[in-house]
Structures are given as structure tokens and as C-alpha cells.
Amino acid sequence: MNPKEEMYLWAKDLWPITRSLTGDGVRETLSYLKQLMPSLKIHNVQSGSRAFDWTVPDEWSISNAYIDDEYGNRIIDFSENNLHVVGYSDQIDLWMTLDELESHLYSLPDQPNAIPYVTTYYAANWGFCLTHKKRKLLKKGKYHVVINSKKKNGVLNYGELIIKGESDKEVFLSTYLCHPSMANDNLSGVVVTMALAKWLNSLEKRKFSYRLIFIPETIGSLAYLSENLQYLKENVVAGYNITCIGDDRCYSFLPSRKGLTISDAAAKHVLENTDKNYKKYKWLDRGSDERQYCAPGVDLPIASIMRSKYGEYAEYHTSLDDLNVITESGLNGGYQAIKRSIEIIENNITPRITVHGEPQLGKRGLYPNLSIKDSTKHVDVRTLMNLISYCDGENTLLEIANIINKPFWELLPLIETLIKHNLVIDEN
Ligand code: ZN
């Protein structure tokens, strides 16, 4: 099966799992991913551990939750939709009036058919989320409110995959797995990252080593950084935070804090040559784990390639962000964009021509003088000559691609041919 079909099927399998920052849903998701990639290592971080300025919260689990009216009619049932309960809600079993219940209900008047996604990770509280349509039907009277949840001193889990290359220098890919049943944010990131892992693992050789992590958002990246900061700072040369990468409506780019890394340049080149109308966000629009990866003193070279960005599409953080929002082609477009960016990072040599003057291509069979009318053998000679004319040992291949306005992936086979004929060497 190709990654395009696989990614969507994985998302379907992972869809029903109740995920949060910690707990069984994260473990179930990680063990599913481990089946796909047995070298995935599952780590534990103890509740209460310090992660820079933060503390890893207690582990949260929930078995069921509901609200019944005084006649025993079930008004809200967690088993029907895991967004119905505010994430990290305290245990509760109480009778109360509608007035008392109101301050614990969350709905969206502007999106009356959507159940909002609400969490209370760091403040003890409880609540239910429901469609505004349903909320308006609630009548005065008494309600039986039950949440069977538990917080305990346990662990925060995350997955880590190391794929070795020729160099110890690393490309770092991070995605999060803490959202319950929502698709673009965040199952798309999980399945695209897994497809990239399988692709990277299948390569015969890699210049760089690869580090892929599946973590809960924010506290997970903080915990991971606090365990590995020095090593990451010394070895990570590029990387991406992978989220919101499964719908078909647009491509989006969000830079690293300084915006000057190879990850930024590669991503912009790929998107420019994939869809000229891609959306360009600024660091000021950040909202995911790049907040930690690019924070002062951390400053890893991490950018983001997305489809519809978090916070920018109508279904975001609601029950409407379902498996209809993501598509096979949407996931595949996101996957291809990051794959191509990685191919740039892997192959961005600084080529220098080894002859003075233009090389004589004809004697090497590189000039299509006899087959010029045969379109299947047509070589874009002008592109080849433009490429050669910038092989001065000063420009990288990516810089040349930008100067001559051709996609990197069209130039790469040409440069490989030139290297094979000893016409080009890598200046570095
Ligand atoms: Zn989110």
C-alpha cells in the first residue's frame, strides 16, 4: 500500500482513542505506532518532574461521564463523543440545578452544531462540552452530573525514533499526540510523521541521522528538551514541527523564530514550487511546539509546513474537525512537502564545475543533439546550462534553484549526472 492510502487508514484506526497529555489513550496510540515501526521507543517521565519552568502533571484517566436529567434521560454521554468532557476534569458525582451546571458547560453560539474541545490541564476544574443547539434545549430542573475520572502520580509517555545516518548531525521531526478525536489537529501530524519515518527507514543511505518524536504538546516538548537540550543544540541541523497537515484547502508555512535556517529555506522553496498561493505566516502567529523549540536559549532550527493552520480553519478544536476534514490527497500533499524539504536538506551540496568554460556535453552524451525532436528524451538544455553556469562553488544547489527558478527536485538528477561525469564536485 502506498503512504497516501496508509496514512488515512491509520488516522481512521487512531480516531476513536481518547487521548490527553497523559494516560491510557497516549499509550494506546503509541503502541499502535510501535506496531507500524517496532524500533519506536516508548519513554516515561514521572508526574511531578521538572521541565524547565514547568512541572509534569499527574496522569489523568477517564472511564465514563454523563449528565442525566431528573427523569433519567441521558442528556450528554462521554461514550458518544470524547470531546464531551473537558480534558483533565476532576471526578464528580452530584445533583445540581441548571443554573449551577451552566458555569461548567461549554458550547459555541457561532457554531451551534460543533462540540468544542476544552482542557483544564493545570487548574483543578471540571466541565462538559456540547453543541449550542443541544444546550438551548436544556430545561430548568435538576441534573445528575457524573464524571468518573482519576488523577494519580503516574507518568507522561512519549515515543522516540532514532534512524541513523552517515553523520551524527540530525534532522529533528516532532509531532504531538495529545488530542482526542480530531483529525487535522492532530491525527494528521501523527500519521504524516509515521509515514515519513517509514520512508526514512527504507532509504538505502542517509547523510543525516533522524530523530522523530511523538509527544504531548507543550509539556511534552518541554520535558523532551529539558532531558536532551545540550545534545540537540549540538547536533540538530534542521527540522520541522508537524501538525495540521491533512486537509486539502491550502498549504501554510510558519518560520523558525529567526527565519534564517535551512529548514526555513527548504520549506519555502518547496511550497513556492508546489502552490504559489501558499499562506505565509510569521513567528508572531506561532502556536505549537515551535514555541519551545525556537525559544531564546533553545533556538533549534525548527520550522512548520502545514495545510490549514491551527486556529485558521472553521472546524479547528471542535468535533467538526473529523475524518471528513482530512483527505488522502491532503495528507499526501503535506507528506510530499516535508519529504521534499528533507530531500533538499540531505542533498544541498555546493557544486563547483571542474572545467573552465562550458563543458562539452555532446561528447559525454549529455547534449540531446540527435534526439531533440523526441520529446521523451528531451532534456531542458537551457536549464542544464543555467545550472552549470552557477556551479561556482559559492552557491548551494538550493540557492541555484531559487536563482534559476526551477524546483530543486528537477535539478537534483541533473547535478547527479554531472557528478557522475566528473564535471561537478561538492565544494564542501
Ligand atoms: Zn490543538
Side-chain angles (χ1 to χ4, degrees):
M1 210 181 295
N2 63 38
K4 191 173 167 179
E5 292 159 359
E6 274 185 324
M7 287 188 286
Y8 194 85
L9 290 176
W10 297 337
K12 260 170 96 173
D13 286 346
L14 292 169
W15 170 262
I17 301 173
T18 297
R19 279 166 291 267
S20 185
L21 290 189
T22 60
D24 290 336
V26 173
R27 280 188 287 273
E28 200 181 330
T29 303
L30 286 171
S31 61
Y32 180 91
L33 296 175
K34 194 173 169 65
Q35 276 179 9
L36 300 175
M37 188 60 93
S39 49
L40 182 81
K41 220 175 146 196
I42 299 172
H43 294 266
N44 304 321
V45 184
Q46 199 65 38
S47 305
S49 301
R50 296 287 294 179
F52 300 133
D53 202 37
W54 295 56
T55 305
V56 173
D58 278 346
E59 189 178 316
W60 182 72
S61 59
I62 178 164
S63 51
N64 71 331
Y66 55 88
I67 298 177
D68 287 350
D69 69 12
E70 59 197 64
Y71 309 105
N73 300 310
R74 191 132 299 185
I75 307 300
I76 297 180
D77 191 346
F78 175 74
S79 68
E80 279 174 8
N81 192 311
N82 58 26
L83 296 183
H84 271 319
V85 171
V86 170
Y88 263 72
S89 279
D90 285 332
Q91 168 142 10
I92 185 171
D93 184 344
L94 281 176
W95 281 88
M96 62 184 67
T97 65
L98 181 58
D99 279 351
E100 288 166 327
L101 180 58
E102 283 287 3
S103 66
H104 292 278
L105 295 183
Y106 300 87
S107 64
L108 300 168
D110 293 340
Q111 289 176 283
N113 293 312
I115 304 167
Y117 168 50
V118 182
T119 60
T120 180
Y121 300 136
Y122 299 101
N125 202 344
W126 62 270
F128 280 87
C129 306
L130 69 169
T131 66
H132 200 67
K133 203 169 155 190
K134 190 173 228 176
R135 186 175 186 167
K136 284 200 305 194
L137 298 174
L138 295 180
K139 298 192 172 65
K140 295 271 175 214
K142 287 255 180 190
Y143 290 88
H144 186 201
V145 183
V146 175
I147 299 174
N148 282 313
S149 66
K150 204 158 53 186
K151 284 179 194 162
K152 63 164 189 191
N153 191 296
V155 293
L156 173 153
N157 296 103
Y158 67 85
E160 178 188 54
L161 194 59
I162 309 281
I163 303 173
K164 281 281 175 206
E166 289 162 4
S167 165
D168 286 337
K169 295 292 172 199
E170 293 186 350
V171 176
F172 180 60
L173 303 176
S174 175
T175 192
Y176 53 87
L177 74 178
C178 52
H179 290 35
S181 300
M182 284 176 291
N184 195 43
D185 184 20
N186 75 206
L187 280 179
S188 68
V190 175
V191 300
V192 167
T193 306
M194 181 44 69
L196 289 166
K198 294 194 98 161
W199 164 66
L200 288 164
N201 203 44
S202 75
L203 295 176
E204 265 172 41
K205 60 182 202 139
R206 294 163 292 271
K207 180 172 164 193
F208 294 114
S209 295
Y210 287 80
R211 179 180 294 260
L212 296 86
I213 62 167
F214 300 81
I215 50 165
E217 203 176 16
T218 305
I219 190 64
S221 51
L222 286 160
Y224 193 81
L225 283 171
S226 73
E227 286 177 343
N228 300 289
L229 182 61
Q230 209 45 47
Y231 188 86
L232 297 174
K233 277 175 75 99
E234 282 163 18
N235 291 288
V236 172
V237 294
Y240 296 99
N241 184 56
I242 303 177
T243 173
C244 296
I245 191 157
D247 75 338
D248 235 328
R249 291 174 283 199
C250 66
Y251 286 90
S252 306
F253 170 70
L254 188 123
S256 64
R257 186 162 63 94
K258 293 175 184 166
L260 299 171
T261 71
I262 182 69
S263 321
D264 294 286
K268 282 192 277 189
H269 177 82
V270 168
L271 294 178
E272 194 68 45
N273 286 283
T274 300
D275 177 3
K276 283 227 176 297
N277 297 317
Y278 79 97
K279 294 190 177 172
K280 303 174 188 74
Y281 292 96
K282 298 192 175 82
W283 172 249
L284 298 176
D285 303 309
R286 72 197 175 282
S288 182
D289 285 318
E290 72 284 352
R291 288 159 27 236
Q292 319 311 331
Y293 297 137
C294 302
V298 180
D299 276 320
L300 296 177
I302 306 299
S304 304
I305 292 172
M306 294 166 277
R307 303 299 306 252
S308 290
K309 178 184 171 289
Y310 43 80
E312 301 285 337
Y313 59 100
E315 303 88 353
Y316 170 71
H317 275 195
T318 75
S319 57
L320 304 182
D321 189 352
D322 61 18
L323 291 167
N324 296 312
V325 171
I326 61 169
T327 62
E328 280 187 6
S329 63
L331 290 164
N332 195 49
Y335 165 75
Q336 293 295 344
I338 297 187
K339 181 169 173 266
R340 281 182 159 158
S341 301
I342 291 172
E343 284 169 337
I344 291 175
I345 293 160
E346 279 271 320
N347 295 294
N348 193 27
I349 64 168
T350 305
R352 185 167 61 77
I353 195 81
T354 56
V355 299
H356 287 118
E358 289 184 332
Q360 194 190 348
L361 298 176
K363 72 179 182 189
R364 297 177 173 89
L366 298 175
Y367 197 90
N369 42 4
L370 292 176
S371 57
I372 197 102
K373 285 181 183 162
D374 181 347
S375 65
T376 60
K377 287 183 187 162
H378 179 75
V379 174
D380 182 352
V381 176
R382 190 72 195 163
T383 297
L384 183 59
M385 296 317 290
N386 283 343
L387 167 62
I388 288 170
S389 79
Y390 280 105
C391 288
D392 55 5
E394 290 174 22
N395 296 296
T396 65
L397 188 54
L398 177 57
E399 285 163 346
I400 298 171
N402 286 331
I403 295 167
I404 70 175
N405 205 18
K406 289 283 172 186
F408 186 96
W409 51 92
E410 283 179 22
L411 300 188
L412 188 57
L414 300 180
I415 210 84
E416 282 168 347
T417 303
L418 293 170
I419 290 171
K420 210 165 74 196
H421 286 83
N422 299 316
L423 283 171
V424 157
I425 56 162
D426 182 5
E427 189 68 9
N428 287 334

